[in-house]
Amino acid sequence: ETNTLPFHPFENQQGDILRVEKEHQVLKEQLREAEEKFEQSQSRSLEEIGALEELLKKSVEETEVSQNELDWFHQDSESQMKKWQQEKKENRENLKALRGTAKKHSDTNERYLKTIDEKEKQYNECLNTFLETSNKFANEKSKLEELIKKSQDVSQECEKRAVTAEVSVLQTWKETEIWKLKGTIAKAEGNLRMLKAVSSSASGAPVLKSQIDSWEIFISNVKKQLEKVEAEYEEKIEQVKNGARNCLSKVEMVDLPCP
């Protein structure tokens, strides 16, 4: 995330600070070139002055040779002097303009440096705040991860206890229903044995034959229901152990009327 987005409020768009620094470097280069040109111009002017002074010296030495040449020399010297003065004046004006530009650039440079220092201070403050916040969030994240891990362990333990409880309930229901059905079978078998004993006499056999058949059919149906109940409860218990939900319900029983 570093240096990929504008640094508000110090940049309106990405690279504003770098662009200001580049402009500052360009202005410094222009100032250096202007100073070099001024120095060259001043050196050239000094050289011209020296040449003119040398020419004047030679003219003085040659005054004895020709007055006309002296007049010409004076005219030429005056012309050169005016030219030099004009150049000097222009150079002074250029120098003054360059000094004004240099001062302007210097003021701008100082203002930019001050702005950069302020922005850097604000950046450091924001960075410190960010680091402090980041560390705080990291600590909170670590605590939350630890709490989540503990919660997951507690949840797994609760889930195990819930499975154990559901299995225990289903097992209790199964045993209760089996006990009831086995009791019914035992009573029916006792009645059947009594009927068979009574029917052993020749006189009671035709009358009790249908009742004996009814009780045998009843006992067979109850045994089938017993097997069905036991199988369905075992299936529910196995589903709960495998992680299934909504299995905690009783197996439907068919009401079988006694003969």
Side-chain angles (χ1 to χ4, degrees):
E1 297 177 357
T2 304
N3 293 334
T4 59
L5 295 173
F7 182 44
H8 295 293
F10 316 120
E11 289 184 325
N12 293 325
Q13 59 183 358
Q14 184 179 358
D16 283 348
I17 293 177
L18 294 177
R19 184 167 61 255
V20 171
E21 291 181 354
K22 290 181 180 179
E23 293 175 356
H24 172 59
Q25 293 295 330
V26 171
L27 293 174
K28 286 177 66 178
E29 185 65 22
Q30 292 177 352
L31 178 60
R32 186 183 62 80
E33 291 176 359
E35 290 175 351
E36 290 178 356
K37 289 181 179 180
F38 170 73
E39 292 175 357
Q40 292 175 0
S41 176
Q42 190 176 28
S43 176
R44 185 169 62 252
S45 297
L46 292 173
E47 291 176 358
E48 291 178 356
I49 291 172
L52 291 173
E53 290 177 350
E54 185 66 23
L55 181 60
L56 180 60
K57 181 179 179 181
K58 289 181 180 180
S59 297
V60 172
E61 293 176 351
E62 293 175 353
T63 52
E64 297 178 356
V65 177
S66 176
Q67 185 65 37
N68 292 331
E69 291 181 356
L70 180 60
D71 294 339
W72 175 81
F73 174 75
H74 281 299
Q75 292 176 359
D76 184 67
S77 178
E78 289 177 359
S79 177
Q80 292 293 335
M81 184 64 68
K82 290 179 180 179
K83 181 180 179 181
W84 176 80
Q85 289 178 350
Q86 182 65 29
E87 290 180 354
K88 184 177 180 181
K89 181 179 180 181
E90 292 176 356
N91 290 333
R92 286 179 178 176
E93 292 176 353
N94 292 333
L95 179 60
K96 183 178 180 180
L98 288 173
R99 285 178 176 173
T101 303
K103 186 177 185 304
K104 181 179 178 181
H105 290 337
S106 178
D107 295 340
T108 302
N109 183 33
E110 290 179 359
R111 186 170 63 253
Y112 285 159
L113 288 174
K114 184 178 180 181
T115 302
I116 290 172
D117 290 339
E118 292 176 354
K119 300 296 185 183
E120 185 175 2
K121 183 178 179 181
Q122 294 175 358
Y123 168 76
N124 290 330
E125 291 177 355
C126 292
L127 180 61
N128 292 332
T129 303
F130 168 76
L131 293 175
E132 182 179 355
T133 305
S134 177
N135 292 332
K136 181 180 178 182
F137 285 160
N139 293 332
E140 291 180 356
K141 179 182 177 183
S142 177
K143 292 179 180 179
L144 288 175
E145 288 177 348
E146 185 177 355
L147 289 175
I148 290 171
K149 185 177 183 301
K150 290 182 179 179
S151 298
Q152 289 176 345
D153 294 339
V154 172
S155 176
Q156 291 176 356
E157 184 64 26
C158 292
E159 186 175 353
K160 290 180 182 178
R161 291 202 302 269
V163 170
T164 303
E166 288 185 12
V167 170
S168 177
V169 170
L170 290 172
Q171 190 72 29
T172 302
W173 286 347
K174 183 188 78 170
E175 293 174 356
T176 301
E177 297 298 335
I178 290 175
W179 178 79
K180 289 180 180 179
L181 291 173
K182 285 184 177 180
T184 302
I185 293 171
K187 290 180 181 179
E189 288 178 345
N191 291 334
L192 182 61
R193 284 194 300 270
M194 184 178 63
L195 288 172
K196 287 182 177 181
V198 173
S199 67
S200 61
S201 63
S203 60
V207 178
L208 299 177
K209 180 68 169 64
S210 61
Q211 293 185 16
I212 291 172
D213 293 339
S214 298
W215 278 104
E216 287 179 345
I217 293 172
F218 174 74
I219 291 171
S220 176
N221 291 334
V222 173
K223 287 182 177 180
K224 289 180 181 179
Q225 185 167 355
L226 175 63
E227 294 176 356
K228 174 178 176 296
V229 168
E230 187 174 7
E232 290 187 6
Y233 271 115
E234 288 295 333
E235 182 180 358
K236 284 178 176 291
I237 291 172
E238 193 64 26
Q239 289 176 353
V240 170
K241 290 181 179 180
N242 292 332
R245 295 291 178 268
N246 300 324
C247 295
L248 194 62
S249 59
K250 290 185 176 182
V251 175
E252 295 183 0
M253 300 286 292
V254 178
D255 188 14
L256 298 175
C258 294

